[in-house]
Amino acid sequence: MRPVHPTAGEGAVQIGAKLRASRLSQRLTLEQLAIATGLTKGFISRVERDDTTPSVPTLVQLCQALSLSIGSLFEEPEIQLIALDEAPRINMGGERVDERLVTPRSVDEVQVIRSSVEPHATGGEVLYTISCELEVLHIISGRLTLVLVGREEELHAGDTLTFPGHTPHTWRTGDEGAELLWTLVPAAWSGSA
């Protein structure tokens, strides 16, 4: 068997954006990172713009200062596409509604549900809660009334309402249906895709 010689890829490895994102997520300035690593602000800025490639020891310094594994700079992000017509149907308990989970079941951080709601549909007469920290309801089209304890919110196309996840609520539509996006943070449930 002949040995296979690996060849380098055509382009340079782009790591700058990941380094910059890590620095910004930790609310570190270029100056703070420069002090922590002993590098200059200008050099770090060039690395973040992929204008220069750091040596391995310099990359180790940067990653240690950012509490970032070197390997994570070279990993491909996990990207999953779910087409609406292929999204699994779920049932959150509403009547006259087609609900589809448009985020992967394996994602625990957030859950997005696309709901097509018929006229005079309801989430039920009894107020309910969802096991999450935060709910975001966005009206794509149509109208919906969100019923909370002691108040109602009339929502129209383009409106977005955010409320704590354990808030008792239900909903209803009038003479027209609605298209909705429910976002639950973190996901109310998870499982394999």
Side-chain angles (χ1 to χ4, degrees):
M1 195 171 189
R2 285 183 18 210
V4 177
H5 297 285
T7 57
E10 295 291 318
V13 176
Q14 305 289 307
I15 60 171
K18 289 183 179 181
L19 287 169
R20 183 174 192 272
S22 178
R23 176 178 62 79
L24 292 176
S25 72
Q26 297 176 52
R27 294 187 168 94
L28 290 173
T29 65
L30 280 171
E31 184 174 356
Q32 290 169 322
L33 185 57
I35 290 168
T37 59
L39 303 169
T40 67
K41 291 189 312 185
F43 178 76
I44 295 170
S45 178
R46 288 193 309 278
V47 170
E48 287 184 353
R49 291 190 318 266
D50 289 312
D51 288 343
T52 190
T53 303
S55 67
V56 172
T58 300
L59 189 57
V60 168
Q61 275 182 288
L62 286 166
C63 287
Q64 284 177 340
L66 294 169
S67 300
L68 186 66
S69 74
I70 292 176
S72 69
L73 295 175
F74 303 98
E75 293 173 349
E76 287 292 320
E78 185 178 334
I79 298 173
Q80 299 181 51
L81 171 66
I82 298 178
L84 182 58
D85 60 344
E86 295 174 8
R89 283 190 163 88
I90 60 171
N91 183 348
M92 296 291 286
E95 299 170 14
R96 303 177 69 176
V97 60
D98 178 30
E99 296 173 308
R100 294 183 177 248
L101 181 61
V102 295
T103 47
R105 288 186 188 274
S106 60
V107 172
D108 294 330
E109 299 84 4
V110 67
Q111 212 159 41
V112 180
I113 300 163
R114 171 76 183 252
S115 300
S116 297
V117 185
E118 296 178 18
H120 305 288
T122 179
E125 295 299 317
V126 177
L127 301 181
Y128 64 91
T129 61
I130 300 291
S131 180
C132 65
E133 294 299 315
L134 185 71
E135 282 190 63
V136 180
L137 170 59
H138 176 74
I139 311 301
I140 298 168
S141 64
R143 292 186 196 178
L144 179 128
T145 302
L146 187 72
V147 180
L148 303 157
V149 175
R151 75 188 248 205
E152 295 185 358
E153 293 288 340
E154 296 291 329
L155 304 172
H156 305 274
D159 290 347
T160 304
L161 186 72
T162 303
F163 56 97
H166 297 284
T167 303
H169 65 282
T170 191
W171 53 267
R172 66 177 179 267
T173 56
D175 293 335
E176 63 179 299
E179 291 291 322
L180 321 170
L181 278 180
W182 293 92
T183 303
L184 311 176
V185 180
W189 72 87
S190 65
S192 59

